[in-house]
Amino acid sequence: MALQTVLDNLPQFKSDEIIKSFIKGYSIINNPMYKNPICSISGGSDSDIMLDLIHRIDEQKKVTYVWFDTGLEYKATKEHLKYLEDRYRINVQRESN
């Protein structure tokens, strides 16, 4: 998907900062120099936004999503991760001690 198509499919409300973030992210994620980019997911709202941005711009779907289980997370967080996997059709790699 070309950058212009990504920008055309942004939500109706889009500020200059949102557009700049998509352009910068697009140029980094799709750079062939980055073979195995990783995005850490916490299950919180900020990482949800990051996941959505990356998923939209990742042309080759090469980003690996990782969640670090510290043993302190709520059941609702784990359920939310499953929701994200289903919604975006991704696999969130779980890492724990």
Side-chain angles (χ1 to χ4, degrees):
M1 182 180 299
L3 176 59
Q4 188 58 52
T5 304
V6 170
L7 294 176
D8 290 343
N9 290 314
L10 287 178
Q12 190 173 21
F13 172 76
K14 47 190 162 196
S15 68
D16 287 342
E17 286 305 312
I18 291 172
I19 293 170
K20 286 178 193 175
S21 294
F22 270 85
I23 292 170
K24 181 177 181 180
Y26 184 91
S27 66
I28 293 170
I29 296 291
N30 296 300
N31 184 327
M33 182 174 86
Y34 300 107
K35 306 250 186 265
N36 300 305
I38 296 172
C39 177
S40 177
I41 300 296
S42 70
S45 58
D46 290 338
S47 69
D48 284 6
I49 292 167
M50 185 59 63
L51 186 156
D52 185 72
L53 184 150
I54 290 172
H55 191 264
R56 289 173 186 249
I57 61 178
D58 182 10
E59 288 183 337
Q60 297 174 14
K61 303 302 178 208
K62 65 182 181 178
V63 173
T64 299
Y65 299 95
V66 180
W67 177 67
F68 294 93
D69 184 353
T70 65
L72 301 173
E73 287 72 26
Y74 295 108
K75 179 181 176 188
T77 301
K78 295 175 183 179
E79 291 169 352
H80 183 65
L81 290 172
K82 177 67 177 136
Y83 163 79
L84 292 173
E85 287 178 316
D86 293 343
R87 177 172 184 206
Y88 291 97
R89 296 184 192 125
I90 62 170
N91 179 48
V92 177
Q93 182 177 321
R94 276 111 168 127
E95 295 292 331
S96 61
N97 270 340

